Amino acid sequence: MAFRYSDFFHNITTHFPDASFENIKESSKELFCCAVRNYGNGDCDEHYHEYIELIYVVASSMNIRVNHHDYTLNSGDFLVIIPGDVHSIVCNKGCRYVVLQADTDFVFASVLSNSEIHYVMPYTLSIHREARLFRASEVDYTDIPKYIYNIVSEYSERHKFYTLAIRSYFSAIALHVFRQWDILLSESNDVRHDMVEEDPRLARVITQINERYPEDITAEEMAKVAGMSYSYFSRYFKSTIGLSYSEYLNSVRIKASEKLLIDSDFSVADIAEKVGFSNTSYYIAQFKRQLHMTPKRYRNSFSGVVGQSGD
């Protein structure tokens, strides 16, 4: 039976007082923490961290800025913040919310492959701003409020095996979120795939990019491949693919570099050159923009799984 938001609101305000906030960024021993926050002590300035944060509004509303996009969360709304997101919070009068923070290893170790975690989160959110925010109308009649309540309860009472219980509830929330993201991602990919398949001009360009990405292939050259003027090609490519030509080329190069970071001992500078970036600093900046971490951190994060050592 679904755990409605109204039930959660009653229980959380009755049984759990405002909690002191623990920041796992400052404590390597804490892989997970949660807190119930009130208006007056729930604001925070712009910052980012290397773990997942889930915010569930219990009462009133708040304004959150994430990566320069503004969101208003009302009672029952649920927001996902992923590692690397720059965000700030301003609570409105009467606001009360639950915040859950978890290291990705705490939630996903031995459950999802690194590629699943890595590609689904940043890529989906970059395509669909709405994928980050789940409104009360979507959440109220799911089990998410119940899972959040159980997490707060387990974390507060700390009975034996409470971390195992929290991990299971958090994973269940993540499953719901991932499945919703997968629907959005599939819809976007299906539409774009169909559009490219129906246009042999773009199909030729995509094939050229996928085969020749390490080379210096310019938009002007690809415009000729497509049989279009440069200005028309630039507009048409972005409107059809959803990314500019340079953004798409960079995304192909970044994906190729990930394999080299994991499967080789090449330096970051060598990898940048091998996938087509003439400037290492620019490569690192593009990598951070797409994946919310540096190439070195990416290599170190996943080296334990594939047996490679970091730089």
Side-chain angles (χ1 to χ4, degrees), residues 261 264-266 295-304 307-311:
L261 286 167
S264 78
D265 293 322
F266 293 124
K296 183 176 181 180
R297 182 173 179 83
Y298 178 85
R299 170 175 271 171
N300 291 339
S301 296
F302 299 112
S303 62
Q308 299 290 333
S309 58
D311 286 342

Side-chain angles (χ1 to χ4, degrees), residues 3 8 100 142-154 165-166 168-176:
F3 194 76
F8 179 83
L100 311 177
T142 70
D143 285 326
I144 287 178
K146 179 176 68 176
Y147 294 145
I148 295 173
Y149 175 82
N150 289 342
I151 287 172
V152 175
S153 178
E154 290 283 351
I166 289 173
S168 67
Y169 294 131
F170 206 112
S171 295
I173 294 172
L175 174 62
H176 178 87

Side-chain angles (χ1 to χ4, degrees), residues 22-310:
E22 298 174 71
N23 191 332
I24 60 177
K25 185 177 181 180
E26 298 173 359
S27 174
S28 60
K29 295 180 181 179
E30 285 285 349
L31 296 179
F32 174 85
C33 73
C34 73
V36 180
R37 311 302 304 281
N38 275 322
Y39 168 73
N41 68 353
D43 292 359
C44 63
D45 295 328
E46 200 167 66
H47 66 288
Y48 75 95
H49 35 63
E50 300 297 332
Y51 45 82
I52 298 170
E53 182 168 279
L54 307 182
I55 293 177
Y56 182 83
V57 179
V58 175
S60 186
S61 63
M62 63 165 61
N63 300 313
I64 299 184
R65 168 163 282 203
V66 185
N67 300 330
H68 305 294
H69 297 301
D70 294 319
Y71 302 86
T72 297
L73 276 66
N74 300 304
S75 298
D77 290 348
F78 174 69
L79 187 80
V80 178
I81 297 174
I82 66 172
D85 281 344
V86 178
H87 58 285
S88 60
I89 298 175
V90 176
C91 292
N92 297 317
K93 188 174 182 179
C95 181
R96 188 172 176 83
Y97 68 96
V98 178
V99 57
L100 311 177
Q101 298 177 329
D103 189 284
T104 53
D105 289 340
F106 175 83
V107 183
F108 302 120
S110 303
V111 178
L112 293 178
S113 70
N114 291 315
S115 61
E116 287 177 309
I117 298 170
H118 165 65
Y119 284 116
V120 171
M121 290 195 291
Y123 186 54
T124 304
L125 293 179
S126 67
I127 292 175
H128 294 278
R129 280 184 54 194
E130 67 274 18
R132 183 183 300 284
L133 178 60
F134 295 79
R135 292 296 183 186
S137 58
E138 305 172 70
V139 175
D140 277 0
Y141 288 90
T142 70
D143 285 326
I144 287 178
K146 179 176 68 176
Y147 294 145
I148 295 173
Y149 175 82
N150 289 342
I151 287 172
V152 175
S153 178
E154 290 283 351
Y155 190 76
S156 301
E157 297 172 2
R158 303 205 174 201
H159 296 307
K160 288 184 177 179
F161 308 113
Y162 77 94
T163 56
L164 180 61
I166 289 173
R167 188 198 302 263
S168 67
Y169 294 131
F170 206 112
S171 295
I173 294 172
L175 174 62
H176 178 87
V177 170
F178 281 147
R179 282 179 170 168
Q180 291 303 113
W181 285 353
D182 187 58
I183 292 171
L184 290 171
L185 189 58
S186 297
E187 289 174 350
S188 294
N189 286 341
D190 288 344
V191 171
R192 290 173 184 170
H193 178 75
D194 290 343
M195 294 177 74
V196 171
E197 284 293 307
E198 293 173 2
D199 191 335
R201 298 171 299 174
L202 278 185
R204 290 195 297 270
V205 171
I206 297 301
T207 298
Q208 288 281 311
I209 293 173
N210 290 338
E211 292 178 352
R212 299 175 52 204
Y213 65 84
E215 302 174 22
D216 181 20
I217 47 177
T218 64
E220 289 85 353
E221 181 183 352
M222 290 300 101
K224 293 179 181 178
V225 170
M228 303 176 186
S229 69
Y230 167 70
S231 59
Y232 181 75
F233 169 76
S234 298
R235 293 194 302 271
Y236 189 72
F237 190 95
K238 184 165 186 176
S239 65
T240 304
I241 303 298
L243 299 171
S244 70
Y245 171 78
S246 61
E247 287 171 339
Y248 183 83
L249 176 59
N250 283 339
S251 71
V252 172
R253 287 170 168 171
I254 292 298
K255 286 183 180 180
S257 77
E258 293 174 56
K259 296 179 182 178
L260 292 175
L261 286 167
I262 294 175
D263 297 332
S264 78
D265 293 322
F266 293 124
S267 69
V268 169
D270 286 342
I271 289 174
E273 183 179 0
K274 286 180 180 296
V275 300
F277 288 99
S278 59
N279 184 292
T280 303
S281 296
Y282 180 70
Y283 162 64
I284 293 173
Q286 289 300 308
F287 197 100
K288 289 175 67 177
R289 179 182 178 186
Q290 292 189 34
L291 307 183
H292 305 284
M293 65 178 74
T294 65
K296 183 176 181 180
R297 182 173 179 83
Y298 178 85
R299 170 175 271 171
N300 291 339
S301 296
F302 299 112
S303 62
V305 176
V306 295
Q308 299 290 333
S309 58

